[in-house]
Amino acid sequence: MYLHWDGRKTYRTRMPAPRILEPNEHLSFGKQRLNRIIEGDNLQAMVSLRSQYRDSVDVAYLDPPYNTGKGDFRYSDRRHKDPNASADDAVYVSNEDGGKHTKWLNYIGPRLWLTWELLADHGVCFISINDVELFRLGLLMDEIFGEKNRIGVIVWKQAVDNNRTRIAVEHEYVLCYAKRIEETAEHWQGTSLAKQWLLTKYDELRKQYSDVVELQRHWRAAILEQKKAYRTAVAAGRGDDVVNVGRMDRFRNINEHGPWAKDWHLENTKEGGYDYDIFHPKTGIPCRKPPKGYRYPQESMTKLIAEDRIVFGKDHTETAQLRRYLRDSSDALRSVVTIPGRNGSDRLVALVPEEAKRFPHPKPVELLELILGAAGDIDALVLDPFAGSGSTGEAVMKLNARDNGIRRFILIEEGEPGDRYARTLTGPRLRAAIEKEGWNDGFEFLTTGRKLDRDAILTLEREAIISLVLQTDPTGMGGGMRKIGGKYVVAANGRSQAICLNWNGRADSIITREVLVEMFNEAKALNLKKPIRVYGSTCQVGETDSFVFRQIPDAILVALQLVETAQEESDMLGAINVLEETIRAEANSRG
C-alpha cells in the first residue's frame, strides 16, 4: 500500500542544481560561527549541502506549511516543473483549490527525501503537522523512511478552545521517524517541562546570588511560589498554563555544582547486591547497609565518594544515599506534551518586539528543547529547513548553555515576497537571544547564489571559489571548515590540514613548483598539517605524500554530483586515477 498522486514518480529525481552558498559578513554574528543560517529556497539549499553534510545530520526538525488554506502555503507550478526556475508565479493555495493536496505533496516530497539523504544512519527526523495533511504525511513518511523506522507520534497540546463546536481542537502533532531504527539509541535520555522550568529558574537566580546559602534560600522560595501558582491555575481551570514542578520539587538543595536531591539509587532492586562496607566520614564506623546490598561494585562506589556524589546520614546508623543533580535527572519523551502555544510568541516579542509582528505563530523553544534534548547527543548537528523565526536555533544554544554541549544548527529560511526574514527576523532573533543570555555563541549567515555548472564555476571570482571549496571539499564532511584568509591557505579542515587555492581565473591558476613551495611555507607558519590540499586549474608538479591536487572545476563538479551520468563520473574518476598513477610513477623514476 502506498500514497499515489500526480508527481509521485518524479519527486526524488526532479531536483535543482546546487548553488554556491555565499557568506555574508555583515549579517553574520559572533566569534563562534559553527552554526549556519542560510537564506534561500530550502530545496536549493539542501541540494547544495549534500557535498558536505550527506549522512551527517543527527536530528532534523521540520515545521512545513500546514496547508490550511488560510495563507500559509505558497506554491509555484513553474518551480515544480523546473526546480531551477523562478518562483515569481507562486500563489497561496486556498481551500477551494481542487489540487491543494497534490500541490502540497509535490512541495514536501522532495524536501523530505533530501532530509533523509542528509540524516546520519542513526539520525532522527521530527516533523510538525496538524489534521489537514496528517494522514498523507504519515503515508509519505512511511514510503521515504520505511514504516519499520516509525518511532512514534507526539501529541502537542498547545491551546484551550472553549468555542461551541463538535470537537474542540487543542493540539497538533509531531511525527518522529528514524533513518535506520536499528542504529538509533534504544533509550532516550529525555527531559521534562518541570526540569526545564527549574533549570531556567536556577540559571536566573545564580546570576543574582553568588553565595550558595543565599541562593538556596531564594531557590526554595521560588519552588514554593511556583507550586502555589500551579494550584491557583488549576482552581481557575487553567492548569495547562502553568508548569507543574510536581515531584521535581525534591531538588531543593543546592551546592557549588547546582540543585540536587537524595536518591535511593544506591540500593539493589533485588537480592544479590554487592556486599561491602562504607565508612561514615564522622564516626569512622561502617554505615548501615541496604537490605538487598549495594547496586554498584566497590570500585564505582569509591569513585562516587571521591566525587562527593554520596550523601551520608547524621551517623553510621543511617544508610548512605546517592546525590543526584537536577541536570542529570532524565525522563522519557512522552507521547503527550502540554506547552502553551503562546510561549513561542511571548518569547519572540521579548527578544525582537517589532519584528515579531510579522510572524504570529512561532514554535515554543520549550517544545524544541524537549525533542532535541531527547533525540540528540551533546554534539548533535541539527537541521531545520523551515527555520521561521529561529526557535530551533535558540533551543540548540540553550541546551548547549545548560549542559556544556557542542551542538550545531543549520537553519534554512526563504521568507515571503518582499520580506526575506532570514535577515529581518531569524538572524536578529538569535542575535538578541545570544546578547540577552550572555551566550558565547554565534552564526554564519549565507545566501544561495548562482546556479552552478562547469562554465559557471570557471567564471567565478576568487572569493566565490573559496566559498565553493569550503562547501565541497570532502575532508570537511560533517564538520565543515575553518576559514583562513591567507594568500594561498584559505581554510583548515578538522584534521588541521591546510586547504590551499591558487585562483586567478581559468587561464592563470596553475600550480607551479614555486607556488607549491609558498603554499607549504604558509601552511607551516600556521602550524597546519600535511598533506595539504591544493586547488587550481592544472598542476605542473607530481603529487607526493605531502600534497593532494584538486583540479578546478572537475573535483568540485564530482562533489556537487553535477556529472551528468554515473558512467561519466566513473570515467572521470578513472581518468584522474590513471593520471595520478602516471605522475607518481614518473616522479619515482626521477628518484
Side-chain angles (χ1 to χ4, degrees), residues 189-204:
Q189 295 297 309
T191 185
S192 65
L193 293 176
K195 178 182 175 180
Q196 287 184 354
W197 185 90
L198 288 166
L199 286 171
T200 300
K201 177 57 69 174
Y202 171 70
D203 290 340
E204 176 187 317

PDB file of all heavy atoms in Angstrom, residues 189-204:
ATOM      1  N   GLN A 189      17.449   9.796  26.681  1.00  0.00           N
ATOM      2  CA  GLN A 189      17.504  10.492  27.966  1.00  0.00           C
ATOM      3  C   GLN A 189      16.755  11.810  27.824  1.00  0.00           C
ATOM      4  O   GLN A 189      17.335  12.856  27.565  1.00  0.00           O
ATOM      5  CB  GLN A 189      18.960  10.726  28.381  1.00  0.00           C
ATOM      6  CG  GLN A 189      19.722   9.443  28.658  1.00  0.00           C
ATOM      7  CD  GLN A 189      19.133   8.670  29.828  1.00  0.00           C
ATOM      8  OE1 GLN A 189      18.915   9.225  30.893  1.00  0.00           O
ATOM      9  NE2 GLN A 189      18.879   7.391  29.635  1.00  0.00           N
ATOM     10  N   GLY A 190      15.458  11.727  27.947  1.00  0.00           N
ATOM     11  CA  GLY A 190      14.623  12.904  27.756  1.00  0.00           C
ATOM     12  C   GLY A 190      14.653  13.844  28.953  1.00  0.00           C
ATOM     13  O   GLY A 190      15.360  13.659  29.923  1.00  0.00           O
ATOM     14  N   THR A 191      13.857  14.869  28.854  1.00  0.00           N
ATOM     15  CA  THR A 191      13.741  15.839  29.935  1.00  0.00           C
ATOM     16  C   THR A 191      12.257  16.092  30.157  1.00  0.00           C
ATOM     17  O   THR A 191      11.413  15.435  29.577  1.00  0.00           O
ATOM     18  CB  THR A 191      14.489  17.135  29.598  1.00  0.00           C
ATOM     19  OG1 THR A 191      14.449  18.014  30.727  1.00  0.00           O
ATOM     20  CG2 THR A 191      13.890  17.831  28.389  1.00  0.00           C
ATOM     21  N   SER A 192      11.915  17.006  31.008  1.00  0.00           N
ATOM     22  CA  SER A 192      10.517  17.315  31.279  1.00  0.00           C
ATOM     23  C   SER A 192      10.356  18.819  31.376  1.00  0.00           C
ATOM     24  O   SER A 192      11.327  19.557  31.553  1.00  0.00           O
ATOM     25  CB  SER A 192      10.075  16.661  32.595  1.00  0.00           C
ATOM     26  OG  SER A 192      10.778  17.234  33.693  1.00  0.00           O
ATOM     27  N   LEU A 193       9.106  19.274  31.250  1.00  0.00           N
ATOM     28  CA  LEU A 193       8.847  20.702  31.366  1.00  0.00           C
ATOM     29  C   LEU A 193       9.222  21.210  32.755  1.00  0.00           C
ATOM     30  O   LEU A 193       9.717  22.326  32.916  1.00  0.00           O
ATOM     31  CB  LEU A 193       7.377  20.990  31.074  1.00  0.00           C
ATOM     32  CG  LEU A 193       6.926  20.736  29.635  1.00  0.00           C
ATOM     33  CD1 LEU A 193       5.435  20.972  29.510  1.00  0.00           C
ATOM     34  CD2 LEU A 193       7.691  21.629  28.684  1.00  0.00           C
ATOM     35  N   ALA A 194       8.975  20.357  33.773  1.00  0.00           N
ATOM     36  CA  ALA A 194       9.331  20.760  35.139  1.00  0.00           C
ATOM     37  C   ALA A 194      10.842  20.960  35.262  1.00  0.00           C
ATOM     38  O   ALA A 194      11.306  21.949  35.856  1.00  0.00           O
ATOM     39  CB  ALA A 194       8.852  19.708  36.136  1.00  0.00           C
ATOM     40  N   LYS A 195      11.614  20.046  34.700  1.00  0.00           N
ATOM     41  CA  LYS A 195      13.068  20.179  34.748  1.00  0.00           C
ATOM     42  C   LYS A 195      13.517  21.431  33.994  1.00  0.00           C
ATOM     43  O   LYS A 195      14.385  22.168  34.460  1.00  0.00           O
ATOM     44  CB  LYS A 195      13.725  18.934  34.150  1.00  0.00           C
ATOM     45  CG  LYS A 195      15.249  19.008  34.107  1.00  0.00           C
ATOM     46  CD  LYS A 195      15.848  17.774  33.475  1.00  0.00           C
ATOM     47  CE  LYS A 195      17.363  17.913  33.325  1.00  0.00           C
ATOM     48  NZ  LYS A 195      17.971  16.712  32.703  1.00  0.00           N
ATOM     49  N   GLN A 196      12.924  21.671  32.836  1.00  0.00           N
ATOM     50  CA  GLN A 196      13.278  22.863  32.064  1.00  0.00           C
ATOM     51  C   GLN A 196      13.007  24.130  32.868  1.00  0.00           C
ATOM     52  O   GLN A 196      13.830  25.049  32.906  1.00  0.00           O
ATOM     53  CB  GLN A 196      12.480  22.906  30.756  1.00  0.00           C
ATOM     54  CG  GLN A 196      12.950  21.900  29.720  1.00  0.00           C
ATOM     55  CD  GLN A 196      12.192  22.056  28.415  1.00  0.00           C
ATOM     56  OE1 GLN A 196      11.247  22.829  28.318  1.00  0.00           O
ATOM     57  NE2 GLN A 196      12.605  21.314  27.409  1.00  0.00           N
ATOM     58  N   TRP A 197      11.836  24.168  33.507  1.00  0.00           N
ATOM     59  CA  TRP A 197      11.486  25.358  34.277  1.00  0.00           C
ATOM     60  C   TRP A 197      12.466  25.555  35.433  1.00  0.00           C
ATOM     61  O   TRP A 197      12.931  26.668  35.682  1.00  0.00           O
ATOM     62  CB  TRP A 197      10.054  25.230  34.821  1.00  0.00           C
ATOM     63  CG  TRP A 197       9.598  26.481  35.534  1.00  0.00           C
ATOM     64  CD1 TRP A 197       8.955  27.547  34.987  1.00  0.00           C
ATOM     65  CD2 TRP A 197       9.796  26.799  36.917  1.00  0.00           C
ATOM     66  NE1 TRP A 197       8.739  28.504  35.934  1.00  0.00           N
ATOM     67  CE2 TRP A 197       9.239  28.081  37.136  1.00  0.00           C
ATOM     68  CE3 TRP A 197      10.372  26.131  37.984  1.00  0.00           C
ATOM     69  CZ2 TRP A 197       9.255  28.710  38.373  1.00  0.00           C
ATOM     70  CZ3 TRP A 197      10.395  26.746  39.232  1.00  0.00           C
ATOM     71  CH2 TRP A 197       9.837  28.014  39.424  1.00  0.00           C
ATOM     72  N   LEU A 198      12.776  24.467  36.141  1.00  0.00           N
ATOM     73  CA  LEU A 198      13.682  24.552  37.286  1.00  0.00           C
ATOM     74  C   LEU A 198      15.084  24.983  36.866  1.00  0.00           C
ATOM     75  O   LEU A 198      15.706  25.832  37.529  1.00  0.00           O
ATOM     76  CB  LEU A 198      13.733  23.208  38.009  1.00  0.00           C
ATOM     77  CG  LEU A 198      12.472  22.828  38.807  1.00  0.00           C
ATOM     78  CD1 LEU A 198      12.503  21.354  39.176  1.00  0.00           C
ATOM     79  CD2 LEU A 198      12.335  23.681  40.058  1.00  0.00           C
ATOM     80  N   LEU A 199      15.589  24.429  35.775  1.00  0.00           N
ATOM     81  CA  LEU A 199      16.929  24.800  35.324  1.00  0.00           C
ATOM     82  C   LEU A 199      16.976  26.262  34.886  1.00  0.00           C
ATOM     83  O   LEU A 199      17.948  26.973  35.157  1.00  0.00           O
ATOM     84  CB  LEU A 199      17.374  23.889  34.180  1.00  0.00           C
ATOM     85  CG  LEU A 199      17.762  22.455  34.562  1.00  0.00           C
ATOM     86  CD1 LEU A 199      17.969  21.613  33.317  1.00  0.00           C
ATOM     87  CD2 LEU A 199      19.008  22.444  35.435  1.00  0.00           C
ATOM     88  N   THR A 200      15.923  26.711  34.205  1.00  0.00           N
ATOM     89  CA  THR A 200      15.864  28.113  33.790  1.00  0.00           C
ATOM     90  C   THR A 200      15.819  29.036  34.999  1.00  0.00           C
ATOM     91  O   THR A 200      16.505  30.067  35.056  1.00  0.00           O
ATOM     92  CB  THR A 200      14.638  28.353  32.894  1.00  0.00           C
ATOM     93  OG1 THR A 200      14.725  27.518  31.736  1.00  0.00           O
ATOM     94  CG2 THR A 200      14.557  29.809  32.450  1.00  0.00           C
ATOM     95  N   LYS A 201      15.007  28.676  35.999  1.00  0.00           N
ATOM     96  CA  LYS A 201      14.910  29.486  37.212  1.00  0.00           C
ATOM     97  C   LYS A 201      16.247  29.496  37.969  1.00  0.00           C
ATOM     98  O   LYS A 201      16.677  30.531  38.487  1.00  0.00           O
ATOM     99  CB  LYS A 201      13.795  28.951  38.104  1.00  0.00           C
ATOM    100  CG  LYS A 201      13.632  29.669  39.455  1.00  0.00           C
ATOM    101  CD  LYS A 201      13.382  31.172  39.276  1.00  0.00           C
ATOM    102  CE  LYS A 201      12.024  31.441  38.661  1.00  0.00           C
ATOM    103  NZ  LYS A 201      11.722  32.910  38.633  1.00  0.00           N
ATOM    104  N   TYR A 202      16.909  28.323  38.026  1.00  0.00           N
ATOM    105  CA  TYR A 202      18.206  28.252  38.704  1.00  0.00           C
ATOM    106  C   TYR A 202      19.231  29.159  38.012  1.00  0.00           C
ATOM    107  O   TYR A 202      19.969  29.904  38.682  1.00  0.00           O
ATOM    108  CB  TYR A 202      18.716  26.820  38.727  1.00  0.00           C
ATOM    109  CG  TYR A 202      20.138  26.697  39.219  1.00  0.00           C
ATOM    110  CD1 TYR A 202      20.459  26.936  40.557  1.00  0.00           C
ATOM    111  CD2 TYR A 202      21.159  26.358  38.342  1.00  0.00           C
ATOM    112  CE1 TYR A 202      21.764  26.843  41.001  1.00  0.00           C
ATOM    113  CE2 TYR A 202      22.469  26.268  38.780  1.00  0.00           C
ATOM    114  CZ  TYR A 202      22.766  26.508  40.105  1.00  0.00           C
ATOM    115  OH  TYR A 202      24.072  26.421  40.540  1.00  0.00           O
ATOM    116  N   ASP A 203      19.290  29.120  36.686  1.00  0.00           N
ATOM    117  CA  ASP A 203      20.228  29.981  35.954  1.00  0.00           C
ATOM    118  C   ASP A 203      19.946  31.449  36.229  1.00  0.00           C
ATOM    119  O   ASP A 203      20.871  32.268  36.368  1.00  0.00           O
ATOM    120  CB  ASP A 203      20.130  29.707  34.450  1.00  0.00           C
ATOM    121  CG  ASP A 203      20.698  28.347  34.066  1.00  0.00           C
ATOM    122  OD1 ASP A 203      21.486  27.792  34.862  1.00  0.00           O
ATOM    123  OD2 ASP A 203      20.350  27.837  32.988  1.00  0.00           O
ATOM    124  N   GLU A 204      18.660  31.787  36.311  1.00  0.00           N
ATOM    125  CA  GLU A 204      18.259  33.171  36.582  1.00  0.00           C
ATOM    126  C   GLU A 204      18.714  33.613  37.970  1.00  0.00           C
ATOM    127  O   GLU A 204      19.269  34.708  38.150  1.00  0.00           O
ATOM    128  CB  GLU A 204      16.737  33.272  36.443  1.00  0.00           C
ATOM    129  CG  GLU A 204      16.138  34.613  36.783  1.00  0.00           C
ATOM    130  CD  GLU A 204      14.624  34.569  36.774  1.00  0.00           C
ATOM    131  OE1 GLU A 204      14.066  33.948  35.845  1.00  0.00           O
ATOM    132  OE2 GLU A 204      14.001  35.132  37.702  1.00  0.00           O
TER     133      GLU A 204
END
